[in-house]
Amino acid sequence: MKTVIVFNIIINKKGGTMFGYLFKKSSSIMPLIVMLQLHSANMAMGEIHSDNLLNESFQVHNGNQHIYDIVDVNRGSDSSITNAITLLLNKRQLSDLELLLNDGFAPLTGFMNQADYNSVVENLRLADNTVWPMPITLDVNEQMAQKLATNKTLALRSPEGAILAYLQVEDIWKADKLKEAQHVFGTTNPEHPGVAYLLQQTKEYYVGGKLIKKELPTYFDFNELRKTPAQLKQEFKDKGYTKIVAFQTRNPLHRAHYELTRRAAEAIGGHLLLHPSVGVTKPGDVDHFTRVKCYKKLMKYYPENSATLSLLPLAMRMAGPREALWHAIIRKNYGCTHFIVGRDHAGPGKDSSGKDFYGPYDAQKLVLQYAQEIGMEILTFQEMVYLADKDTYMPIDQVPQGSTVLSISGTQFRTMLNKGLPIPTWFSFPEVIEELQKSYPSKNKQGITLFFTGLSGSGKSTVANAVAVKLTEILDRPITLLDGDDIRTYLSSELGFSKEHRSINVRRVGFVANEIAKHRGIGITALIAPYQADRQHVRNLVSQHGGFVEIYISTPLSVCEERDVKGLYKLAREGKIPQFTGISDPYEAPLNPELTMDTSNMSLEEASQTIIDYLGKEGYLS
């Protein structure tokens, strides 16, 4: 019996280059991404038998000959590997896997088993008592967990389909996510981005076990800056650096950060490792492409040979004190001897009531508590502020009385960027400001999503249409209306109305809205979107590239039923439409929408003009 490989791209029948993925028929994506030179003029889109592939050499893009090793279940391969179930990793899982495979997460050798997980959550230590503050888990859904109960090997694939590693499953358990949130983040408030991800996006089961490495993820950006722990250690050794202080960041660096890091290196008489996280960070953060361009522009300001820039593929949790300790351990694995912990290290900021999730120096206190045990020297710094009368930066606790102190908060800086206001040179470097202005234009040039949500019959589609017309009249910009009925017809026609399918539908629309915002257009969506988690997912997605305005049409259910143009409420009351929002299925009202309006007590003109006025006030139209 022959193993059949199916390729999924069109090939020139006269021969030529093929690039794509190879698949086993009725199975998973093969661990192979290839560029092949086809020798047969008769080969076209269809099937390739593994016998032929295994006996031929193909010319890859660099001109060298290579015979690809293709796993064949009929040729005596390890059955546990051959029959492995496969899992396509999301961005966080991919980052975690990379750091497990390259020893950035040493002493971990795989995703945590249940004993290590429980110990870390409760005690900041692995089961063997080694300090480790952050759960490193692989989450799967119930269906996958059931499959893994009998098949103990899981192939872990990149988004492109390449198998990066095999997980030898030791434990499968259902996570107590509320307990994890309270212990790790100190809160169960979903306004904390780490808690929101855990409770709303993390699957319900965890699997743990050792990893068998195949290869590290492939990147196509900034490869010269993506150094593994082994590579950085060797570089430091070759250059004779014995004292290395690391600085963690997820933000662009300005003059205050530059002064802090330069002084830290000088204080220890050593070398600076600027080590920004370029995995998933906090929703709404500056994208890593822009940030790395800014870091590269900044490097010339450091004294020659005093600083190294390298990128860390870390998915941050924004866990404040625990995360700071985690960051210190990771930098030790990368060959550093010292680590900088600043004000509110890895904190997510404030909740909706204005209360900080963590105290400004909680992280410093926790890391200092464990510093000796983890073998790292910790440098703690206060907030750096600018003294206008001395034209210098200084820690805030060292400022002489009577000095003129200037500072710009992150929120103020973003506001200045959004409004196209000039940024003072004492705050940042001209090259950094220029990069940020290119990626983050003023609000009236940004993309934006107007996300209408409310019950059926609330008036959201009618108001959305009116707003679209008004915006078309006053703006010379592309405007796209994504109405719920049209989406169900053209984008999600195969979906039903189960909770799962409703979530899929909303997230699909969110993906389209994000693409519109990314290309600086205006997208208007009008959906019931009954679940807070889905709306938050869309907000997080769109906010990476543009503005997001959630508009809650809060028209009461009784009014919506009276309108009932389509007769849907009547059918739902009669039990003829199951899972109907507002009747037999819940609608979770938005927690903090930008606008709330009830169309039962205002005219269409008033409602639409209220939205136009809001957009003008916020700077989107000027």
Side-chain angles (χ1 to χ4, degrees):
M1 175 181 175
K2 293 181 176 179
T3 299
V4 177
I5 310 295
V6 180
F7 56 89
N8 71 330
I9 52 265
I10 297 174
I11 301 167
N12 186 331
K13 290 187 178 182
K14 295 182 180 179
T17 299
M18 177 183 86
F19 178 71
Y21 312 118
L22 297 186
F23 297 77
K24 276 198 305 187
K25 183 177 275 189
S26 302
S27 186
S28 58
I29 296 179
M30 293 291 288
L32 186 62
I33 301 178
V34 295
M35 185 174 284
L36 305 179
Q37 183 69 32
L38 301 181
H39 299 294
S40 170
N42 297 319
M43 296 179 91
M45 188 170 184
E47 299 180 351
I48 302 176
H49 292 281
S50 61
D51 288 346
N52 295 332
L53 281 177
L54 288 168
N55 292 324
E56 286 196 48
S57 64
F58 295 89
Q59 198 170 47
V60 296
H61 65 280
N62 62 7
N64 297 325
Q65 295 290 319
H66 184 72
I67 299 177
Y68 286 91
D69 180 20
I70 298 177
V71 177
D72 188 337
V73 297
N74 302 305
R75 298 196 175 196
S77 302
D78 184 325
S79 61
S80 66
I81 298 297
T82 302
N83 299 320
I85 300 168
T86 66
L87 177 68
L88 191 68
L89 301 175
N90 62 33
K91 290 181 180 179
R92 174 180 287 193
Q93 293 168 337
L94 186 66
S95 291
D96 286 353
L97 177 65
E98 180 172 1
L99 288 164
L100 287 168
L101 295 179
N102 73 10
D103 292 329
F105 281 172
L108 302 187
T109 57
F111 288 99
M112 287 180 177
N113 59 30
Q114 190 170 7
D116 280 334
Y117 165 79
N118 288 335
S119 184
V120 166
V121 168
E122 295 174 5
N123 305 312
L124 289 82
R125 294 179 181 273
L126 300 172
D128 67 3
N129 209 41
T130 301
V131 175
W132 188 273
M134 193 65 60
I136 304 299
T137 55
L138 184 65
D139 58 302
V140 299
N141 60 27
E142 184 175 7
Q143 183 182 14
M144 177 68 76
Q146 290 173 349
K147 290 180 180 179
L148 291 171
T150 55
N151 187 333
K152 296 295 186 179
T153 303
L154 182 62
L156 304 178
R157 296 194 281 115
S158 70
E160 294 78 25
I163 294 183
L164 305 176
Y166 294 96
L167 179 70
Q168 302 290 348
V169 178
E170 298 173 11
D171 282 338
I172 307 170
W173 71 100
K174 190 169 186 177
D176 183 345
K177 293 194 284 186
L178 284 174
K179 177 182 176 181
E180 181 180 336
Q182 188 61 55
H183 279 73
V184 174
F185 299 105
T187 180
T188 58
N189 183 352
E191 292 177 332
H192 186 299
V195 174
Y197 186 94
L198 176 62
L199 300 184
Q200 298 171 4
Q201 296 189 51
T202 303
K203 304 295 191 300
E204 59 267 41
Y205 286 87
Y206 290 160
V207 295
K210 297 286 193 300
L211 289 166
I212 301 172
K213 177 181 176 180
K214 281 198 57 90
E215 59 181 294
L216 292 175
T218 299
Y219 294 99
F220 302 97
D221 63 321
F222 308 116
N223 278 314
E224 75 282 4
L225 299 177
R226 294 182 180 273
K227 306 284 181 64
T228 66
Q231 289 170 332
L232 267 186
K233 287 177 181 178
Q234 188 62 51
E235 182 176 321
F236 295 153
K237 181 180 178 181
D238 292 344
K239 295 182 177 180
Y241 302 148
T242 57
K243 292 182 179 180
I244 303 101
V245 58
F247 182 70
Q248 148 72 30
T249 184
R250 52 173 246 274
N251 294 311
L253 298 190
H254 303 296
R255 287 189 183 270
H257 308 101
Y258 164 77
E259 290 292 338
L260 185 154
T261 53
R262 182 182 59 80
R263 294 180 192 192
E266 290 176 354
I268 68 166
H271 192 77
L272 170 69
L273 173 63
L274 188 59
H275 210 204
S277 295
V278 293
V280 178
T281 59
K282 181 183 174 182
D285 279 354
V286 175
D287 66 273
H288 84 271
F289 295 100
T290 300
R291 287 193 289 119
V292 176
K293 292 175 186 176
C294 291
Y295 302 142
K296 292 174 73 173
K297 295 289 179 66
L298 178 70
M299 292 304 291
K300 70 178 184 181
Y301 287 97
Y302 288 102
E304 188 175 1
N305 298 322
S306 68
T308 294
L309 171 62
S310 185
L311 309 183
L312 179 68
L314 179 71
M316 293 182 63
R317 272 64 166 177
M318 307 307 300
R322 279 198 185 223
E323 181 133 353
L325 178 57
W326 186 41
H327 288 173
I329 294 170
I330 292 169
R331 276 26 182 251
K332 180 179 175 64
N333 290 333
Y334 273 84
C336 298
T337 57
H338 296 68
F339 184 62
I340 299 169
V341 181
R343 184 182 184 278
D344 194 24
H345 186 109
K350 303 177 186 294
D351 63 18
S352 58
S353 69
K355 180 181 178 182
D356 288 309
F357 281 103
Y358 308 111
Y361 302 109
D362 287 354
Q364 293 182 356
K365 294 175 185 176
L366 183 70
V367 181
L368 287 171
Q369 180 182 335
Y370 290 92
Q372 185 174 356
E373 189 171 356
I374 66 174
M376 284 287 276
E377 294 285 339
I378 304 302
L379 303 182
T380 59
F381 279 84
Q382 300 275 325
E383 179 184 4
M384 298 289 288
V385 294
Y386 178 70
L387 276 61
D389 49 343
K390 298 182 182 298
D391 189 27
T392 189
Y393 275 85
M394 188 173 290
I396 195 168
D397 62 338
Q398 298 177 20
V399 173
Q401 189 173 2
S403 298
T404 303
V405 175
L406 300 178
S407 65
I408 296 176
S409 70
T411 300
Q412 290 172 322
F413 178 65
R414 285 189 292 273
T415 299
M416 295 170 77
L417 276 180
N418 286 334
K419 292 185 177 181
L421 300 176
I423 311 297
T425 54
W426 63 260
F427 176 76
S428 193
F429 299 95
E431 299 93 332
V432 172
I433 295 171
E434 182 182 0
E435 284 295 339
L436 291 170
Q437 288 174 331
K438 284 191 291 187
S439 295
Y440 293 87
S442 57
K443 274 189 172 182
N444 64 323
K445 296 179 182 177
Q446 289 180 14
I448 182 174
T449 295
L450 306 183
F451 191 94
F452 287 80
T453 176
L455 294 171
S456 177
S458 61
K460 58 188 179 299
S461 293
T462 304
V463 177
N465 272 289
V467 170
V469 171
K470 284 178 175 286
L471 288 176
T472 303
E473 178 187 357
I474 62 179
L475 295 177
D476 185 22
R477 297 179 63 187
I479 297 167
T480 304
L481 179 63
L482 301 170
D483 181 73
D485 291 339
D486 290 339
I487 291 296
R488 282 283 182 175
T489 300
Y490 299 110
L491 188 63
S492 299
S493 60
E494 85 285 6
L495 297 180
F497 291 89
S498 66
K499 182 173 183 179
E500 179 186 9
H501 280 196
R502 291 181 188 193
S503 292
I504 292 172
N505 182 58
V506 172
R507 293 180 185 224
R508 282 182 183 175
V509 175
F511 172 82
V512 176
N514 179 51
E515 291 300 307
I516 293 170
K518 188 187 300 184
H519 294 87
R520 300 182 182 172
I522 298 177
I524 303 175
T525 73
L527 307 169
I528 294 175
Y531 307 121
Q532 174 63 26
D534 297 323
R535 297 192 298 265
Q536 186 64 45
H537 171 84
V538 176
R539 179 186 289 272
N540 292 345
L541 192 64
V542 173
S543 296
Q544 299 176 65
H545 302 108
F548 184 87
V549 178
E550 185 176 34
I551 303 167
Y552 174 34
I553 306 299
S554 62
T555 309
L557 174 62
S558 58
V559 176
C560 295
E561 284 200 71
E562 287 176 10
R563 293 172 177 173
D564 202 15
V565 176
K566 301 176 184 177
L568 300 178
Y569 282 101
K570 181 176 183 296
L571 293 173
R573 291 289 187 189
E574 294 171 352
K576 296 178 181 178
I577 300 180
Q579 297 178 301
F580 191 83
T581 302
I583 303 299
S584 52
D585 213 54
Y587 177 85
E588 300 170 1
L591 299 177
N592 295 292
E594 279 70 20
L595 290 170
T596 299
M597 54 187 63
D598 176 356
T599 61
S600 68
N601 57 29
M602 62 193 314
S603 69
L604 176 58
E605 175 61 28
E606 290 173 327
S608 58
Q609 192 58 46
T610 297
I611 296 167
I612 298 297
D613 292 344
Y614 172 85
L615 295 176
K617 178 173 68 89
E618 292 296 312
Y620 288 109
L621 306 183
S622 57

